[in-house]
Amino acid sequence: MNYSTMAIVRTRMIYSALTIMTITFGMGKDLMAQTNGSTHVKNIVLVHGGFVDGSGWEGVYKALKKDGYTVAIVQNPTISLADDVAVTKRAIAAQNGPVILVGHSYGGAVITEAGNDPKVVGLVYVTAFALDKGESVASLLKDPPPGAPVPPILPPQDGYLFLDRAKFPAAFAADVGPEAASFMADSQVPWGLDALNGAVTQAAWRTKPSWYLVSTEDKMIPPDAQRAMSNRAGSTVVEVKGSHAVYVSQPQAVAHFIERAATGALAAEKSAAGELANAK
């Protein structure tokens, strides 16, 4: 290689390094801007559970948008936990800055895994499964608290689960209007056995702050089970009288709870940063 060629190679290497530094600095600047110039995290990602799709978040979405938040709704295929985590991570990656990750029901299993993403600064469980490492939704469902109602899940059909349509309103959406509950029952999304049996590999709530909304009239996840999971996770807890579909029936209350987490998570981030600086 002659001197001229070597000079060209060195020049290209320098330009490449400068480009990478510029991109990295830009990403860091976006994160710092939101953290330093705000009183709350602005990006909210909503993750639905089994048997339903993301449209159930519409009321919560509208309330959060009205209050100035950037909101993304994940449409999980609910075929396997791994696929749902991957879809959720893509939604997280699309956000410009720190994220509050919210999960309902089985969506709690998804955010527990996907929440390990470095952009996620807080987790919100809305009557959801806050699993630990090695646990699956199936492992928790097989051992319900004594006297707890049994969800009307029908036998698997080709590897997928459905709820009994006639029992759906009372079990899933008792405080939702009859027409809306009937529509939810008739528009069920198949829930894959691989999603039900998917085990968490790392629980994000062990390293990140969490908030848990307990629905006291839930017939799908017993309230005592919700309390046990939230207590184990060290979550900030609020109890609301509502069904499993509380995010549909009481969107304003759920939105306010998420906003509380958005403020609390940023405060926790700043506190941790201050402690780190003092330690140095």
Side-chain angles (χ1 to χ4, degrees):
M1 185 181 292
N2 57 36
Y3 177 80
S4 178
T5 302
M6 291 175 64
I8 292 172
V9 171
R10 282 199 300 270
T11 301
R12 288 176 176 173
M13 290 175 65
I14 291 170
Y15 279 130
S16 296
L18 287 172
T19 300
I20 293 171
M21 289 172 65
T22 300
I23 293 172
T24 303
F25 176 74
M27 290 173 64
K29 185 170 67 175
D30 289 339
L31 289 168
M32 289 292 289
Q34 186 171 129
T35 302
N36 293 332
S38 304
T39 57
H40 58 269
V41 177
K42 295 179 180 178
N43 299 307
I44 312 293
V45 175
L46 305 173
V47 184
H48 67 81
F51 307 118
V52 296
D53 65 12
S55 63
W57 287 113
E58 183 179 6
V60 174
Y61 167 87
K62 288 180 176 178
L64 291 171
K65 290 286 288 184
K66 183 179 179 181
D67 289 343
Y69 290 87
T70 299
V71 187
I73 299 176
V74 179
Q75 289 287 12
N76 284 331
T78 63
I79 295 173
S80 74
L81 178 61
D83 286 346
D84 293 338
V85 169
V87 172
T88 300
K89 284 187 173 181
R90 286 198 290 272
I92 295 168
Q95 305 310 304
N96 180 24
V99 170
I100 294 295
L101 193 56
V102 184
H104 169 256
S105 193
Y106 159 73
V110 178
I111 72 168
T112 297
E113 188 75 55
N116 292 296
D117 187 289
K119 272 191 173 182
V120 176
V121 295
L123 307 165
V124 179
Y125 294 90
V126 179
T127 181
F129 289 99
L131 305 180
D132 203 353
K133 180 179 179 180
E135 292 180 343
S136 66
V137 172
S139 68
L140 267 63
L141 285 178
K142 72 178 182 180
D143 189 25
V150 178
I153 301 175
L154 298 173
Q157 302 175 27
D158 299 322
Y160 294 93
L161 298 171
F162 292 89
L163 291 178
D164 184 317
R165 289 184 181 182
K167 298 177 180 178
F168 185 105
F172 197 104
D175 57 353
V176 175
E179 288 188 7
S182 180
F183 177 80
M184 292 172 71
D186 290 335
S187 62
Q188 287 183 64
V189 178
W191 190 18
L193 290 175
D194 287 343
L196 181 76
N197 292 308
V200 166
T201 62
Q202 183 180 352
W205 52 258
R206 288 198 170 274
T207 57
K208 299 184 181 184
S210 64
W211 287 256
Y212 199 111
L213 188 148
V214 173
S215 190
T216 61
E217 304 296 317
D218 197 326
K219 299 296 190 295
M220 295 293 294
I221 305 177
D224 283 345
Q226 296 177 49
R227 295 180 183 109
M229 288 186 287
S230 59
N231 181 64
R232 179 177 68 177
S235 304
T236 298
V237 179
V238 166
E239 297 201 0
V240 174
K241 185 177 181 180
S243 74
H244 192 60
V246 65
Y247 68 110
V248 177
S249 62
Q250 301 183 54
Q252 198 68 49
V254 173
H256 284 162
F257 187 61
I258 294 170
E259 292 178 9
R260 176 179 172 183
T263 301
L266 190 60
E269 282 286 292
K270 290 182 177 180
S271 176
E275 290 178 3
L276 182 62
N278 292 334
K280 292 180 180 180

Coordinates of all heavy atoms in Angstrom, one line a residue, residues 16-110:
S16 N -15.4 8.4 9.6 CA -16.3 7.4 10.1 C -16.4 7.5 11.6 O -17.5 7.4 12.2 CB -15.8 5.9 9.8 OG -15.8 5.7 8.4
A17 N -15.3 7.7 12.3 CA -15.3 7.9 13.7 C -16.1 9.1 14.1 O -16.8 9.1 15.1 CB -13.8 7.9 14.3
L18 N -15.9 10.2 13.4 CA -16.6 11.4 13.7 C -18.1 11.3 13.5 O -18.9 11.8 14.3 CB -16.1 12.6 12.8 CG -14.7 13.1 13.1 CD1 -14.2 14.1 12.1 CD2 -14.7 13.8 14.5
T19 N -18.5 10.5 12.5 CA -19.9 10.3 12.2 C -20.5 9.5 13.4 O -21.6 9.8 13.9 CB -20.1 9.5 10.9 OG1 -19.5 10.2 9.8 CG2 -21.6 9.2 10.7
I20 N -19.8 8.4 13.8 CA -20.3 7.6 15.0 C -20.4 8.5 16.2 O -21.4 8.4 17.0 CB -19.4 6.4 15.2 CG1 -19.5 5.5 14.0 CG2 -19.8 5.7 16.5 CD1 -18.5 4.3 14.1
M21 N -19.4 9.3 16.5 CA -19.5 10.2 17.7 C -20.6 11.1 17.6 O -21.3 11.4 18.6 CB -18.1 10.9 17.8 CG -17.0 10.1 18.2 SD -15.4 11.0 18.1 CE -15.6 12.2 19.3
T22 N -20.9 11.7 16.4 CA -22.0 12.6 16.2 C -23.3 12.0 16.5 O -24.2 12.5 17.2 CB -22.0 13.2 14.8 OG1 -20.7 13.9 14.6 CG2 -23.1 14.2 14.6
I23 N -23.5 10.8 16.0 CA -24.8 10.1 16.2 C -25.0 9.7 17.6 O -26.0 9.9 18.2 CB -24.8 8.8 15.3 CG1 -24.9 9.1 13.8 CG2 -26.0 7.9 15.7 CD1 -24.7 7.9 12.9
T24 N -23.9 9.2 18.3 CA -24.0 8.9 19.7 C -24.3 10.1 20.6 O -25.1 10.0 21.5 CB -22.7 8.2 20.2 OG1 -22.4 7.1 19.3 CG2 -22.8 7.8 21.6
F25 N -23.6 11.2 20.3 CA -23.8 12.4 21.0 C -25.3 12.9 20.9 O -25.9 13.3 21.8 CB -22.9 13.5 20.6 CG -23.1 14.8 21.3 CD1 -22.7 15.0 22.6 CD2 -23.7 15.9 20.6 CE1 -22.9 16.2 23.2 CE2 -23.9 17.1 21.2 CZ -23.5 17.2 22.5
G26 N -25.8 12.8 19.6 CA -27.2 13.2 19.4 C -28.2 12.4 20.2 O -29.1 13.0 20.7
M27 N -28.0 11.1 20.2 CA -28.9 10.2 21.0 C -28.8 10.6 22.5 O -29.9 10.7 23.1 CB -28.5 8.8 20.8 CG -28.8 8.3 19.4 SD -28.2 6.6 19.1 CE -29.2 5.7 20.3
G28 N -27.6 10.8 23.0 CA -27.5 11.1 24.4 C -28.1 12.4 24.7 O -28.7 12.6 25.8
K29 N -28.0 13.4 23.8 CA -28.5 14.7 24.0 C -30.0 14.7 24.1 O -30.6 15.4 24.9 CB -28.1 15.7 22.8 CG -28.5 17.1 23.0 CD -27.8 18.0 22.0 CE -28.3 17.7 20.6 NZ -27.7 18.6 19.6
D30 N -30.7 13.9 23.2 CA -32.1 13.7 23.3 C -32.6 13.2 24.6 O -33.6 13.7 25.2 CB -32.6 12.8 22.2 CG -32.5 13.4 20.8 OD1 -32.4 14.7 20.7 OD2 -32.4 12.7 19.8
L31 N -31.9 12.2 25.1 CA -32.2 11.6 26.4 C -32.0 12.6 27.5 O -32.9 12.8 28.4 CB -31.4 10.4 26.7 CG -31.7 9.2 25.9 CD1 -30.6 8.1 26.0 CD2 -33.0 8.6 26.2
M32 N -30.9 13.4 27.5 CA -30.6 14.4 28.5 C -31.6 15.5 28.5 O -32.1 16.0 29.5 CB -29.2 14.9 28.3 CG -28.1 13.9 28.7 SD -28.0 13.5 30.4 CE -27.4 15.1 31.0
A33 N -32.0 15.9 27.3 CA -33.0 17.0 27.1 C -34.3 16.7 27.8 O -34.8 17.6 28.5 CB -33.2 17.3 25.7
Q34 N -34.8 15.5 27.7 CA -36.1 15.2 28.3 C -35.9 15.0 29.8 O -36.8 15.4 30.5 CB -36.6 13.9 27.7 CG -38.0 13.6 28.3 CD -38.8 12.5 27.6 OE1 -39.3 11.6 28.3 NE2 -38.8 12.5 26.3
T35 N -34.8 14.5 30.2 CA -34.6 14.3 31.7 C -34.4 15.6 32.4 O -34.9 15.8 33.5 CB -33.4 13.3 31.9 OG1 -33.6 12.1 31.2 CG2 -33.1 13.1 33.4
N36 N -33.6 16.5 31.8 CA -33.3 17.7 32.5 C -34.3 18.8 32.3 O -34.5 19.7 33.2 CB -31.9 18.3 32.0 CG -30.8 17.4 32.3 OD1 -30.8 16.7 33.3 ND2 -29.7 17.4 31.5
G37 N -35.1 18.8 31.3 CA -36.0 19.9 31.0 C -37.5 19.6 31.3 O -38.3 20.4 31.0
S38 N -37.7 18.5 32.0 CA -39.1 18.1 32.2 C -39.3 17.7 33.7 O -38.4 17.5 34.4 CB -39.5 16.9 31.4 OG -39.3 17.2 30.0
T39 N -40.6 17.7 34.1 CA -40.9 17.2 35.4 C -41.5 15.8 35.4 O -41.8 15.2 36.4 CB -42.0 18.1 36.0 OG1 -43.1 18.2 35.2 CG2 -41.4 19.5 36.2
H40 N -41.6 15.2 34.2 CA -42.1 13.9 34.0 C -41.6 13.3 32.7 O -41.2 14.0 31.8 CB -43.7 13.9 34.0 CG -44.2 14.7 32.9 ND1 -44.5 16.1 33.1 CD2 -44.6 14.4 31.6 CE1 -45.0 16.6 32.0 NE2 -45.1 15.6 31.0
V41 N -41.7 12.0 32.6 CA -41.3 11.2 31.4 C -42.5 11.4 30.4 O -43.6 11.3 30.8 CB -41.1 9.7 31.7 CG1 -40.8 9.0 30.4 CG2 -39.9 9.6 32.7
K42 N -42.1 11.8 29.2 CA -43.2 12.1 28.2 C -43.6 11.0 27.3 O -44.7 11.0 26.7 CB -42.7 13.3 27.3 CG -42.4 14.5 28.1 CD -41.9 15.6 27.2 CE -41.7 16.9 27.9 NZ -41.1 18.0 27.0
N43 N -42.8 9.9 27.2 CA -43.2 8.8 26.3 C -43.8 7.6 27.1 O -43.2 7.1 28.0 CB -41.9 8.3 25.6 CG -41.2 9.4 24.8 OD1 -41.9 10.0 24.0 ND2 -40.0 9.6 25.0
I44 N -45.0 7.3 26.6 CA -45.7 6.2 27.3 C -46.0 5.1 26.2 O -46.5 5.4 25.1 CB -47.1 6.6 27.8 CG1 -47.0 7.9 28.7 CG2 -47.8 5.5 28.6 CD1 -46.2 7.7 29.9
V45 N -45.6 3.8 26.5 CA -45.9 2.7 25.6 C -46.9 1.8 26.3 O -46.6 1.3 27.4 CB -44.6 2.0 25.3 CG1 -44.9 0.7 24.4 CG2 -43.7 2.9 24.5
L46 N -48.0 1.5 25.7 CA -49.1 0.7 26.3 C -49.1 -0.7 25.6 O -49.1 -0.8 24.4 CB -50.4 1.4 26.0 CG -50.6 2.8 26.5 CD1 -51.9 3.4 26.1 CD2 -50.4 2.9 28.0
V47 N -49.2 -1.7 26.5 CA -49.1 -3.1 26.0 C -50.4 -3.8 26.5 O -50.6 -3.9 27.7 CB -47.8 -3.8 26.5 CG1 -47.8 -5.2 26.0 CG2 -46.6 -3.0 26.2
H48 N -51.1 -4.4 25.6 CA -52.4 -5.1 25.9 C -52.1 -6.5 26.3 O -51.0 -7.0 26.2 CB -53.4 -5.0 24.7 CG -52.9 -5.8 23.5 ND1 -53.0 -7.2 23.5 CD2 -52.3 -5.4 22.4 CE1 -52.6 -7.6 22.3 NE2 -52.1 -6.6 21.6
G49 N -53.1 -7.1 26.9 CA -53.0 -8.5 27.4 C -53.6 -9.5 26.4 O -53.8 -9.3 25.2
G50 N -53.9 -10.7 26.9 CA -54.5 -11.8 26.1 C -56.0 -11.6 25.8 O -56.7 -10.9 26.6
F51 N -56.4 -12.2 24.7 CA -57.8 -12.2 24.3 C -58.3 -10.9 23.7 O -59.4 -10.8 23.2 CB -58.8 -12.6 25.4 CG -58.4 -13.9 26.1 CD1 -58.1 -13.9 27.4 CD2 -58.4 -15.1 25.4 CE1 -57.8 -15.1 28.1 CE2 -58.1 -16.3 26.0 CZ -57.8 -16.3 27.3
V52 N -57.5 -9.8 23.8 CA -57.9 -8.5 23.3 C -56.8 -7.9 22.4 O -55.7 -8.5 22.3 CB -58.2 -7.5 24.4 CG1 -59.4 -8.0 25.2 CG2 -57.0 -7.4 25.4
D53 N -57.0 -6.7 21.8 CA -56.0 -6.0 21.1 C -55.8 -4.6 21.7 O -56.4 -4.3 22.7 CB -56.3 -6.0 19.6 CG -57.5 -5.2 19.2 OD1 -58.0 -4.4 20.1 OD2 -58.0 -5.3 18.1
G54 N -55.0 -3.8 21.0 CA -54.6 -2.5 21.6 C -55.7 -1.5 21.5 O -55.6 -0.5 22.2
S55 N -56.8 -1.8 20.8 CA -57.9 -0.7 20.7 C -58.5 -0.5 22.1 O -59.1 0.6 22.3 CB -58.9 -1.2 19.7 OG -59.6 -2.4 20.1
G56 N -58.4 -1.4 23.0 CA -59.0 -1.2 24.3 C -58.4 -0.1 25.1 O -59.0 0.5 26.1
W57 N -57.2 0.4 24.7 CA -56.5 1.5 25.3 C -57.0 2.8 24.8 O -56.4 3.9 25.3 CB -55.0 1.4 25.1 CG -54.2 0.3 25.8 CD1 -53.6 -0.8 25.2 CD2 -53.9 0.2 27.2 NE1 -53.0 -1.5 26.2 CE2 -53.2 -0.9 27.4 CE3 -54.3 1.0 28.3 CZ2 -52.7 -1.3 28.6 CZ3 -53.8 0.6 29.5 CH2 -53.0 -0.5 29.7
E58 N -57.9 2.9 24.0 CA -58.3 4.1 23.3 C -58.6 5.3 24.4 O -58.2 6.4 24.2 CB -59.5 4.0 22.4 CG -59.9 5.2 21.7 CD -61.1 5.1 20.7 OE1 -61.7 4.0 20.7 OE2 -61.4 6.0 20.0
G59 N -59.4 4.9 25.4 CA -59.7 6.0 26.4 C -58.5 6.5 27.1 O -58.4 7.7 27.4
V60 N -57.7 5.5 27.5 CA -56.4 5.9 28.2 C -55.5 6.7 27.3 O -55.0 7.8 27.7 CB -55.7 4.7 28.7 CG1 -54.3 5.0 29.3 CG2 -56.5 3.9 29.7
Y61 N -55.4 6.3 26.0 CA -54.6 7.0 25.0 C -55.1 8.5 24.9 O -54.3 9.4 24.9 CB -54.8 6.3 23.7 CG -54.3 7.0 22.5 CD1 -52.9 6.9 22.1 CD2 -55.2 7.8 21.7 CE1 -52.5 7.6 21.0 CE2 -54.7 8.5 20.6 CZ -53.4 8.4 20.2 OH -52.9 9.1 19.1
K62 N -56.4 8.7 24.7 CA -56.9 10.0 24.6 C -56.6 10.9 25.8 O -56.3 12.1 25.6 CB -58.4 10.0 24.3 CG -58.8 9.4 22.9 CD -60.3 9.4 22.7 CE -60.7 8.9 21.3 NZ -62.2 8.9 21.1
A63 N -56.8 10.3 27.0 CA -56.5 11.1 28.2 C -55.1 11.5 28.3 O -54.7 12.7 28.6 CB -56.9 10.3 29.4
L64 N -54.2 10.6 28.0 CA -52.7 10.9 28.0 C -52.3 11.9 27.0 O -51.6 12.8 27.2 CB -51.9 9.6 27.9 CG -52.0 8.6 29.0 CD1 -51.3 7.3 28.7 CD2 -51.4 9.2 30.3
K65 N -52.9 11.7 25.8 CA -52.5 12.7 24.7 C -53.0 14.1 25.0 O -52.3 15.1 24.8 CB -53.2 12.2 23.4 CG -52.6 10.9 22.8 CD -51.2 11.2 22.2 CE -51.3 11.9 20.9 NZ -50.0 12.1 20.2
K66 N -54.2 14.1 25.6 CA -54.7 15.4 26.0 C -53.8 16.2 27.0 O -53.7 17.4 27.0 CB -56.1 15.3 26.6 CG -56.8 16.6 27.0 CD -58.2 16.3 27.6 CE -58.9 17.6 28.0 NZ -60.3 17.4 28.5
D67 N -53.2 15.4 27.8 CA -52.3 15.9 28.8 C -50.8 16.1 28.3 O -49.9 16.4 29.1 CB -52.3 15.1 30.1 CG -53.6 15.2 30.9 OD1 -54.3 16.1 30.6 OD2 -53.8 14.3 31.7
G68 N -50.6 15.9 27.0 CA -49.3 16.3 26.4 C -48.3 15.1 26.3 O -47.2 15.4 25.9
Y69 N -48.8 13.9 26.5 CA -47.8 12.8 26.4 C -47.8 12.2 25.0 O -48.7 12.4 24.2 CB -48.3 11.7 27.4 CG -48.1 12.0 28.8 CD1 -49.1 12.7 29.5 CD2 -46.9 11.6 29.5 CE1 -48.9 13.0 30.9 CE2 -46.7 12.0 30.8 CZ -47.7 12.6 31.5 OH -47.6 12.9 32.8
T70 N -46.6 11.7 24.7 CA -46.5 10.9 23.4 C -46.8 9.4 23.8 O -46.2 8.9 24.7 CB -45.0 11.0 22.9 OG1 -44.7 12.3 22.6 CG2 -44.8 10.2 21.7
V71 N -47.8 8.9 23.1 CA -48.3 7.6 23.4 C -48.2 6.6 22.2 O -48.6 6.9 21.1 CB -49.7 7.6 23.9 CG1 -50.2 6.3 24.4 CG2 -49.9 8.7 24.9
A72 N -47.6 5.4 22.5 CA -47.6 4.4 21.5 C -48.3 3.2 22.0 O -48.2 2.8 23.2 CB -46.1 4.0 21.2
I73 N -49.1 2.5 21.2 CA -49.9 1.4 21.5 C -49.3 0.2 20.8 O -49.4 0.1 19.5 CB -51.4 1.5 21.3 CG1 -51.9 2.7 22.1 CG2 -52.1 0.2 21.6 CD1 -53.4 3.0 21.8
V74 N -48.8 -0.8 21.5 CA -48.3 -2.0 20.9 C -49.4 -3.0 20.5 O -50.3 -3.2 21.3 CB -47.3 -2.7 21.9 CG1 -46.7 -4.0 21.3 CG2 -46.2 -1.8 22.3
Q75 N -49.3 -3.5 19.3 CA -50.3 -4.5 18.9 C -49.6 -5.9 18.9 O -48.9 -6.3 17.9 CB -50.8 -4.2 17.4 CG -51.7 -3.0 17.4 CD -53.1 -3.3 17.9 OE1 -53.3 -4.3 18.6 NE2 -54.1 -2.4 17.7
N76 N -49.6 -6.5 20.1 CA -48.9 -7.8 20.2 C -49.7 -8.9 19.5 O -50.9 -9.0 19.5 CB -48.9 -8.2 21.7 CG -47.9 -7.4 22.5 OD1 -46.9 -7.0 21.9 ND2 -48.1 -7.2 23.7
P77 N -49.0 -9.8 18.8 CA -49.6 -10.9 18.2 C -50.1 -11.9 19.2 O -51.0 -12.8 18.9 CB -48.6 -11.5 17.2 CG -47.3 -11.1 17.8 CD -47.5 -9.7 18.4
T78 N -49.6 -11.9 20.4 CA -50.0 -12.8 21.5 C -49.9 -14.3 21.1 O -50.7 -15.1 21.5 CB -51.4 -12.5 22.1 OG1 -52.4 -12.7 21.1 CG2 -51.4 -11.1 22.7
I79 N -48.9 -14.6 20.3 CA -48.6 -16.0 19.9 C -47.6 -16.6 20.8 O -47.7 -17.8 21.2 CB -48.2 -16.0 18.4 CG1 -49.4 -15.6 17.5 CG2 -47.8 -17.5 18.0 CD1 -49.0 -15.5 16.0
S80 N -46.5 -15.8 21.1 CA -45.5 -16.3 22.0 C -45.0 -15.1 22.8 O -45.0 -13.9 22.3 CB -44.3 -16.9 21.2 OG -43.5 -16.0 20.5
L81 N -44.5 -15.3 24.0 CA -43.9 -14.3 24.8 C -42.7 -13.6 24.1 O -42.6 -12.4 24.1 CB -43.5 -14.8 26.1 CG -42.9 -13.8 27.1 CD1 -43.8 -12.6 27.4 CD2 -42.4 -14.4 28.4
A82 N -41.9 -14.4 23.5 CA -40.7 -13.9 22.8 C -41.0 -12.9 21.7 O -40.4 -11.9 21.5 CB -39.8 -15.0 22.3
D83 N -42.0 -13.3 20.9 CA -42.5 -12.4 19.8 C -43.1 -11.1 20.3 O -42.8 -10.0 19.8 CB -43.5 -13.1 18.9 CG -42.9 -14.2 18.0 OD1 -41.7 -14.2 17.9 OD2 -43.7 -15.0 17.5
D84 N -43.9 -11.2 21.4 CA -44.5 -10.0 22.0 C -43.5 -9.1 22.6 O -43.6 -7.9 22.5 CB -45.5 -10.4 23.0 CG -46.7 -11.2 22.4 OD1 -46.9 -11.0 21.2 OD2 -47.4 -11.9 23.1
V85 N -42.4 -9.7 23.2 CA -41.3 -8.8 23.7 C -40.6 -8.1 22.6 O -40.3 -6.9 22.7 CB -40.4 -9.7 24.5 CG1 -39.1 -8.9 24.9 CG2 -41.0 -10.2 25.8
A86 N -40.4 -8.8 21.5 CA -39.7 -8.2 20.4 C -40.5 -7.1 19.8 O -39.9 -6.0 19.4 CB -39.4 -9.3 19.3
V87 N -41.8 -7.3 19.6 CA -42.7 -6.2 19.1 C -42.7 -5.0 20.0 O -42.6 -3.9 19.6 CB -44.1 -6.7 18.9 CG1 -45.1 -5.6 18.5 CG2 -44.1 -7.8 17.8
T88 N -42.7 -5.3 21.3 CA -42.7 -4.2 22.3 C -41.4 -3.4 22.3 O -41.3 -2.2 22.4 CB -43.0 -4.7 23.7 OG1 -44.3 -5.4 23.7 CG2 -43.0 -3.6 24.7
K89 N -40.3 -4.1 22.1 CA -39.0 -3.5 22.1 C -38.9 -2.6 20.8 O -38.2 -1.5 20.9 CB -37.9 -4.5 22.1 CG -37.6 -5.1 23.5 CD -36.4 -6.0 23.4 CE -36.0 -6.5 24.8 NZ -34.8 -7.4 24.8
R90 N -39.5 -3.0 19.7 CA -39.5 -2.1 18.6 C -40.2 -0.8 18.8 O -39.8 0.3 18.4 CB -40.0 -2.8 17.4 CG -39.1 -3.9 16.8 CD -39.5 -4.3 15.3 NE -40.8 -5.0 15.3 CZ -40.9 -6.3 15.4 NH1 -39.8 -7.0 15.6 NH2 -42.0 -6.9 15.3
A91 N -41.3 -0.9 19.6 CA -42.1 0.3 19.9 C -41.2 1.2 20.9 O -41.3 2.4 20.8 CB -43.4 -0.1 20.6
I92 N -40.5 0.6 21.8 CA -39.7 1.3 22.7 C -38.6 2.1 21.9 O -38.3 3.2 22.2 CB -39.0 0.4 23.8 CG1 -40.1 -0.2 24.7 CG2 -38.0 1.1 24.6 CD1 -39.7 -1.3 25.6
A93 N -37.9 1.3 21.0 CA -36.8 1.9 20.2 C -37.3 3.1 19.4 O -36.5 4.0 19.1 CB -36.3 0.8 19.3
A94 N -38.6 3.2 19.0 CA -39.1 4.3 18.2 C -39.3 5.5 19.0 O -39.5 6.6 18.4 CB -40.4 3.8 17.5
Q95 N -39.2 5.5 20.3 CA -39.5 6.6 21.2 C -38.2 7.5 21.3 O -37.1 7.0 21.4 CB -40.0 6.2 22.6 CG -41.2 5.3 22.6 CD -42.3 5.8 21.7 OE1 -42.8 6.9 21.9 NE2 -42.7 5.0 20.7
N96 N -38.5 8.8 21.4 CA -37.4 9.8 21.5 C -37.2 10.1 23.0 O -37.6 11.2 23.5 CB -37.7 11.0 20.7 CG -36.6 12.0 20.8 OD1 -35.4 11.7 21.0 ND2 -36.9 13.3 20.5
G97 N -36.5 9.3 23.7 CA -36.2 9.6 25.1 C -36.7 8.5 26.0 O -37.1 7.4 25.6
P98 N -36.6 8.7 27.3 CA -37.1 7.7 28.3 C -38.5 7.3 28.2 O -39.3 8.1 27.7 CB -36.8 8.4 29.7 CG -35.8 9.5 29.4 CD -36.1 9.9 28.0
V99 N -38.8 6.1 28.6 CA -40.1 5.5 28.4 C -40.7 5.0 29.7 O -40.0 4.3 30.5 CB -40.0 4.3 27.4 CG1 -41.3 3.6 27.3 CG2 -39.7 4.9 26.0
I100 N -42.0 5.2 29.9 CA -42.8 4.5 30.9 C -43.5 3.3 30.1 O -44.3 3.6 29.2 CB -43.9 5.4 31.5 CG1 -43.2 6.5 32.4 CG2 -44.8 4.6 32.4 CD1 -42.4 6.0 33.5
L101 N -43.3 2.1 30.6 CA -43.9 0.9 29.9 C -45.1 0.4 30.7 O -44.9 0.1 31.9 CB -42.8 -0.1 29.8 CG -43.1 -1.3 28.8 CD1 -43.4 -0.9 27.4 CD2 -41.8 -2.2 28.8
V102 N -46.2 0.3 30.1 CA -47.5 -0.1 30.8 C -48.0 -1.4 30.2 O -48.1 -1.5 29.0 CB -48.5 1.0 30.6 CG1 -49.8 0.7 31.4 CG2 -48.0 2.4 31.0
G103 N -48.4 -2.3 31.1 CA -48.9 -3.6 30.7 C -50.2 -3.9 31.4 O -50.3 -3.7 32.6
H104 N -51.2 -4.4 30.7 CA -52.4 -4.9 31.3 C -52.4 -6.5 31.2 O -52.1 -7.0 30.2 CB -53.6 -4.4 30.6 CG -54.9 -5.0 31.0 ND1 -55.6 -6.0 30.2 CD2 -55.7 -5.0 32.1 CE1 -56.6 -6.4 30.8 NE2 -56.7 -5.8 32.0
S105 N -52.8 -7.1 32.3 CA -53.0 -8.6 32.3 C -51.7 -9.3 31.8 O -50.6 -9.1 32.4 CB -54.2 -9.0 31.4 OG -54.6 -10.3 31.7
Y106 N -51.8 -10.1 30.8 CA -50.6 -10.8 30.2 C -49.6 -9.8 29.7 O -48.4 -10.1 29.7 CB -51.1 -11.7 29.0 CG -50.0 -12.1 28.1 CD1 -49.0 -13.0 28.4 CD2 -49.9 -11.5 26.8 CE1 -47.9 -13.3 27.5 CE2 -48.9 -11.8 25.9 CZ -47.9 -12.7 26.3 OH -46.9 -13.0 25.4
G107 N -50.0 -8.6 29.4 CA -49.1 -7.5 29.0 C -48.1 -7.3 30.1 O -47.0 -6.8 29.9
G108 N -48.4 -7.6 31.4 CA -47.5 -7.4 32.5 C -46.3 -8.4 32.3 O -45.1 -8.0 32.6
A109 N -46.5 -9.6 31.8 CA -45.4 -10.5 31.6 C -44.5 -9.9 30.5 O -43.3 -10.0 30.6 CB -46.0 -11.9 31.1
V110 N -45.1 -9.3 29.5 CA -44.4 -8.7 28.4 C -43.5 -7.6 28.8 O -42.3 -7.5 28.5 CB -45.3 -8.3 27.2 CG1 -44.5 -7.6 26.1 CG2 -46.1 -9.4 26.7

